[in-house]
Amino acid sequence: MFIMLFQQLLCKWRLYFGFQPAMVIFLLFFFKIVAGQIRYSVPEEMKKGSLIGNVAQDLGLDLKRLHSGRARIVTGENNQYTELKTDKGILVVNERIDREQLCGDVTPCSFSFEMILENPMELHHVTIEVLDVNDHPPVFKKSDIMLDISESANIGARFVLDSAEDPDVGVNGLQNYVLTSNDNFVLKQHVNPDGSKYAEIVLQKQLDREKVPSLSLKLIAVDGGNPQRSGTVNINIVVLDANDNAPVFNQSVYKATVIENAAKGTKIVTVNATDVDSGSNGYITYSISNVKSNIADLLDKKYELRIDAKDQGGLTDSSKVIIEVTDVNDNAPTISVMSFTSPVSEDSPPGTTIGIINVKDLDSSDNGQVNCRIEQNAPFKIKSNLRNYYTLVTDTVLDRESVSDYNITVVATDAGMPPLSTKRTFHLKVSDVNDNSPVFSQGVYSAFIAENNSPGVSLVTVRAKDPDENQNARISYILEDSDLDGSPVSQSVSVNAESGVIHAVRSFDYEQVKQLVFVVKAQDGGSPPLSSNVTVKILIQDQNDNPPQVLYPVQTGGSLVAEMVPRSADVGYLVTKVVAVDVDSGQNAWLSYKLQKATDRALFEVGLQNGEIRTIRQVTDKDAVKQRLTVIVEDNGQPSRSATVIVNVAVADSFPEVLSEFTDFTQDKEYNDNLTFYLVLALAVVSFLFITCLVVIISVKIYRWRQSRILYHSNLPVIPYYPPRYSDTLGTGTLQHVYNYEVCRTTDSRKSDCKFGRAGSQNVLIMDPSSTGTMQRIQSEKSILDEPDSPLEVSSVLSPDPISGAFSKFTYSYALNTWPRGPTLRSSGFGL
């Protein structure tokens, strides 16, 4: 049986496709989409999982390609008859296929679907032709056919019988009718224009009601399948009394049209038949004899009906009615999404496919013609590459920074009157690409900062924006490498990579650096990163942190500079000019000159702006030769700073007179300048020695106390104790003598002397007649031990150098008791 079925299938393959296999593949290259067609033929009623064909082999596809392209089939119908096994590349039956349910009496019967692959997009049209299997026998609608035939019926009278229906097609469909043998009727078969067959019985022998009042025949309908199937109906004939005229239609064929959505009960056409008989024999009834079972539910495009007219005597006539169904635009197009890609990169070139849609309209003719368009003005367009399939592609270059997402509305409109349309909106997101560099808000950043700033202070904040998103918009600020006055810029300023705040790394000095000019780079986090630069100028503002500097007259430590004014000088005589500068700038460098002290303030004045020293009266003989002017130079800062200069003026007409008067002038100046410093130093040394002596005294006291406690508790004899200052010399004893020797040395050997001072604890005021200054010498004595006869005495001497102002001797002398051996001198000193 299987071999016979296989032979029938093979014959059908050859009938449709010649001697070639039932497979045709067409590859289309249109809009960058690979498309193909393939066709298979399978018998109906195959079991689930049965093999249909190897699509991977037939289409030349690799199994890896099926997996990577996410191969799938799209039917657009509720029933999924087939299934794609991507791991094997084969197409199998998913559920039972009933050809009669799928196609009815339409032949050939087939259904189609699309197989879609992605990356790149491929679309393959697959058609499955379902071959009929003889799984249905012919079936009559009724189990019995009742015929009333007048006995007067003429020989050759025809009586149309109900047709049998066989949902199978071809050789498996209804092929023949067989009537059981009888004497009165023979069977004749006819073929309708649509290919269906019907039978009628023809009277070949006159009926005789009196002999045979009724007849019972069987009509058998058989198909051509193997094995053959059949259906049977009983024909019950009642012989009536004579009725010799049959009804006659006035038209053999009636034609009518009706719209497809006509309501039930709508009048389509009127048929008319007449019977010349009278009475009940002329009363005609009409019936439809070959109506399909589903005509009452749905009207197709065209139907053919047979109308029977029958009188009461059983005589009949038939006529054909052809009904054409007019299409009405009652179905809007439907949009099905085959594939849609979102998001799409903003650098996608024009023509990039973002989606494939399928559009169908169940209407016919113009009502089924569909046009697709994009509703709004968007950078996309829609193209048709296959029947009922459209691709949605980009029309221009996308820019996410301008538009980050789109709502694409596709409108499908048919050509009916009025037209019907369907909308489908697609939400497309545009993914970011690092195509924008950071942009600074300013072309140049400038800031001011006062000098002597604290390190770490914030100078200025640079800001940049990047219209990209996420990591592509994350900005880092970087200080570009450069040199500022020979040193790297990173030693002067730093920039916060996140906030863009620029800080000072060190304190700035306006007198060294007036401004800082450097470059900051803003770099995003894209790959590769994009960047932009901006110039930053930091202007350093001056502060009054420098006092004026006197350039003239020059202040020297060892030589005397004096300006001479003749006694004949008039009023306004220019004595000299104090020249000073200030390294600050602006008003901080504006200098003014004032006379602070003078030997004779009524004799000289100083120009406030120019520092010129002039006489304000006539010089007289009474004016002292030595004139000492102290000029203060002040700047205009807040607070102001100043410098002092001493100007020595000699009022004399000859140079020797000046030399005799200014011999010790320099010594007095240096003496006064350095006196304070050495007094402070001497006080510190004395304090240190005092603390040291105090510690020694306490230590000795503790030691002696412990010795006395030991002696007190011991049983040893008491030995008299003699102080060390007493000595038994020839039994006569000695007296205490204290000698204090002073040696004063100066840089001028002519002023050196050596004196023998008095012993004692006295304060002596010494006036050296050879020098111009005096110095109070303080000698102090303090006992170290607690006995009144302590042997240690301390004296201190301060003696300044009259020329240099330095101490030539700073002496702590310890006067010891003198014994008969003679006086002893211990002294120490240092010179500066």
Side-chain angles (χ1 to χ4, degrees), residues 65-83:
R65 171 64 181 132
L66 293 179
H67 179 72
S68 63
R70 297 196 307 165
R72 61 189 183 275
I73 59 177
V74 180
T75 62
E77 303 295 338
N78 294 331
N79 295 330
Q80 189 79 21
Y81 293 110
T82 60
E83 180 184 5

Side-chain angles (χ1 to χ4, degrees), residues 38-328:
I38 186 171
R39 185 181 183 92
Y40 294 101
S41 294
V42 297
E44 64 174 333
E45 304 295 336
M46 292 181 68
K47 294 182 180 181
K48 182 177 180 180
S50 299
L51 176 64
I52 296 176
N54 192 325
V55 293
Q57 179 179 352
D58 296 337
L59 291 175
L61 299 175
D62 191 285
L63 294 180
K64 294 182 180 179
R65 171 64 181 132
L66 293 179
H67 179 72
S68 63
R70 297 196 307 165
R72 61 189 183 275
I73 59 177
V74 180
T75 62
E77 303 295 338
N78 294 331
N79 295 330
Q80 189 79 21
Y81 293 110
T82 60
E83 180 184 5
L84 178 62
K85 300 288 186 179
T86 56
D87 56 340
K88 298 180 181 179
I90 61 174
L91 194 66
V92 298
V93 175
N94 186 47
E95 65 180 55
R96 186 180 66 87
I97 304 175
D98 188 352
R99 192 207 66 80
E100 289 74 22
Q101 181 182 357
L102 180 64
C103 300
D105 57 356
V106 176
T107 183
C109 176
S110 64
F111 64 93
S112 300
F113 56 87
E114 281 71 29
M115 185 176 73
I116 296 178
L117 290 87
E118 298 179 354
N119 299 320
M121 187 71 67
E122 293 186 28
L123 184 65
H124 301 283
H125 185 79
V126 181
T127 300
I128 305 297
E129 181 182 1
V130 181
L131 302 179
D132 184 54
V133 175
N134 190 23
D135 55 346
H136 295 88
V139 177
F140 291 93
K141 295 181 181 179
K142 300 176 182 179
S143 61
D144 297 289
I145 299 175
M146 304 301 297
L147 295 178
D148 295 333
I149 302 175
S150 175
E151 64 176 351
S152 62
N154 297 324
I155 295 175
R158 297 175 299 146
F159 302 92
V160 178
L161 304 177
D162 292 342
S163 300
E165 291 183 359
D166 191 344
D168 295 327
V169 295
V171 295
N172 296 325
L174 178 62
Q175 299 294 324
N176 195 15
Y177 289 96
V178 178
L179 183 65
T180 57
S181 60
N182 64 91
D183 296 330
N184 299 99
F185 297 92
V186 294
L187 183 67
K188 286 192 176 182
Q189 302 183 45
H190 301 278
V191 180
N192 290 317
D194 59 354
S196 62
K197 296 179 179 181
Y198 68 95
E200 61 181 14
I201 55 176
V202 181
L203 184 62
Q204 66 176 357
K205 181 180 179 182
Q206 192 73 39
L207 294 174
D208 187 358
R209 188 187 66 82
E210 287 73 19
K211 292 181 179 180
V212 182
S214 63
L215 293 174
S216 180
L217 305 176
K218 287 185 180 293
L219 180 63
I220 301 172
V222 296
D223 60 20
N226 190 358
Q228 193 176 51
R229 293 176 178 268
S230 63
T232 304
V233 65
N234 295 323
I235 303 174
N236 298 318
I237 302 173
V238 177
V239 181
L240 302 177
D241 196 19
N243 180 21
D244 53 354
N245 289 289
V248 177
F249 281 98
N250 58 1
Q251 291 181 219
S252 61
V253 177
Y254 293 87
K255 292 183 179 181
T257 59
V258 63
I259 60 176
E260 63 172 325
N261 58 354
K264 187 175 182 180
T266 301
K267 181 180 178 181
I268 300 176
V269 66
T270 301
V271 297
N272 185 30
T274 59
D275 193 328
V276 296
D277 291 329
S278 61
S280 61
N281 292 329
Y283 183 77
I284 303 173
T285 59
Y286 301 91
S287 64
I288 301 175
S289 61
N290 64 339
V291 178
K292 294 185 177 180
S293 59
N294 61 346
I295 189 172
D297 300 327
L298 179 64
L299 292 178
D300 205 346
K301 296 181 180 180
K302 185 176 181 180
Y303 289 90
E304 292 185 1
L305 307 178
R306 190 173 68 247
I307 308 298
D308 293 334
K310 180 179 179 183
D311 61 18
Q312 295 299 316
L315 297 180
T316 63
D317 192 13
S318 62
S319 179
K320 182 186 295 184
V321 178
I322 300 175
I323 302 175
E324 291 186 358
V325 182
T326 304
D327 182 56
V328 176

Side-chain angles (χ1 to χ4, degrees), residues 625-636:
V625 175
K626 294 191 299 183
Q627 297 286 339
R628 181 168 179 167
L629 309 179
T630 302
V631 178
I632 183 170
V633 183
E634 290 184 338
D635 57 26
N636 199 35

